[in-house]
Amino acid sequence: MEQSQDTTINWRIASPDALRWRIWNDEAVVYCERSGDTHLISAAAADILQSLQQAPASAADLAVHLALQERQTPDDALVDDVATILASLQELALIAPVAS
Amino acid sequence: MKISSLSPAELRLRLQEDGLYFRTGDFVTHLQTDLPGVADGIGLLYADYALADDARFADFHISLNRPRGLRRWFRPQVVFRFDGAPTFKPLPLDQAYPMFEWGLNWCVSSHAHEYLIIHAAVVEKNGCAAILPAPPGSGKSTLCAALVGHGWRLLSDELAMIRLTDGKLAALPRPVSLKNASIDIIARYLPQAVLSRKVIDTMKGTVAHMKPPAACVARASETARAAWMIFPRYEAGAATRLDPVPQARAFMRVADNAFNFSLLGARGFEALAGVIDASRCYDFSYSVLDEAIAAFDALTPATVP
């Protein structure tokens, strides 16, 4: 739990070639070929997965990315929200911390 | 040639001896039985189906017969065999015809993995198909029967067959299964419908089957594209309502209703995603069939075919 609050940890897709998803409006479904599981996630979580598929990133980095998309300035609240999403994606075994 | 070209005596003899080969949608079924109840059901409900005497291959080899031994005569039972092996526990002999229908559903849902198969009815009009996924008791088959009696083409009342190759819906028009109160409801609502006799005390209660219109059977080779995903629910006294369901949530609910979603893996995911992409999704509550039909007739697709 303490680890997921560290917004400087870099995160990566757990199974890079194994994810498929679809985004419809504010929600998305993501399928992991490795586990065979399908999950309902938010569009923001799907956006984060897409970003991580490009390159590992921290909560802070992802918050900047999301803020830029919305033409906003990132703040601590956004970083916390991103960290919460990352924690839930980790629980679903979709992402993992990059080994330091 | 159709099954109707055989006299009742010819049909019984054919079924008793080498068995009958006939087509249902994309499948050829080989059925062997010495049970008059099954022969009568086939003669009544499958009259418009094509014989497949020239088929070199049958997808399913099915037999329904009395077991050997005491239960052949004492509280007689029927045994369903698939490829010669008993597949289910025996049922009372009186339930032989419903057992054929249930068994054939199992054959398709357990083996036809070139399709994503959803437990759902499918009806089509003007090239656009409505998929109705629903658990037992939701009123799906009653609604399906009513729609089919009012101009909608029956693709299936039980198994939505999504082709993995192109995402289109394959037709598998077979007799519509009705249960309990819905039997008399449909008999009154569609006086022209041909219904089998009622079979009581089954695991689903009292059941009967409605013969699909000949036109639906004749068009069994025509696919359809999905336009609506509608989750029906009959509720006595309920107002007729169509409530939009977010597509991602509809996806998850349909995946739960699919027989082989997990088995198909990524292909199943892509097939279902394609169908959801093309569909407007709704929860549908109804209590009056006339209003339900009007609501369906008023549906507009997301894209024009």
Side-chain angles (χ1 to χ4, degrees), chain A residues 10-71:
Chain A
N10 279 331
W11 295 88
R12 63 176 177 83
I13 299 290
S15 304
D17 299 323
L19 292 189
R20 293 168 182 264
W21 54 67
R22 285 292 194 285
I23 302 172
W24 291 290
N25 300 314
D26 296 331
E27 294 176 323
V29 293
V30 59
Y31 172 76
C32 177
E33 290 188 47
R34 180 168 291 187
S35 65
D37 292 333
T38 306
H39 306 285
L40 177 69
I41 61 176
S42 66
D47 202 37
I48 287 171
L49 285 176
Q50 286 181 309
S51 294
L52 291 177
Q53 194 139 50
Q54 301 301 317
S58 66
D61 294 335
L62 291 166
V64 169
H65 168 75
L66 285 174
L68 280 173
Q69 279 188 325
E70 301 297 322
R71 298 184 184 179

Side-chain angles (χ1 to χ4, degrees), chain B residues 187-206:
Chain B
R188 285 192 299 270
Y189 194 69
L190 300 175
Q192 74 281 11
V194 174
L195 299 180
S196 69
R197 70 173 180 87
K198 293 179 184 178
V199 178
I200 63 173
D201 295 334
T202 77
M203 57 186 169
K204 301 185 179 191
T206 300

Side-chain angles (χ1 to χ4, degrees), chain B residues 129-148:
Chain B
I131 302 173
L132 282 59
S138 59
K140 162 180 66 70
S141 293
T142 310
L143 178 59
C144 175
L147 288 166
V148 169

Side-chain angles (χ1 to χ4, degrees), chain B residues 208-223:
Chain B
H209 288 82
M210 182 184 88
K211 181 175 182 281
C216 298
V217 178
R219 296 175 63 189
S221 62
E222 291 181 32
T223 58

Side-chain angles (χ1 to χ4, degrees), chain B residues 35-52:
Chain B
L35 301 175
V38 178
D40 292 346
I42 296 293
L44 177 68
L45 302 175
Y46 284 80
D48 300 320
Y49 291 70
L51 290 166

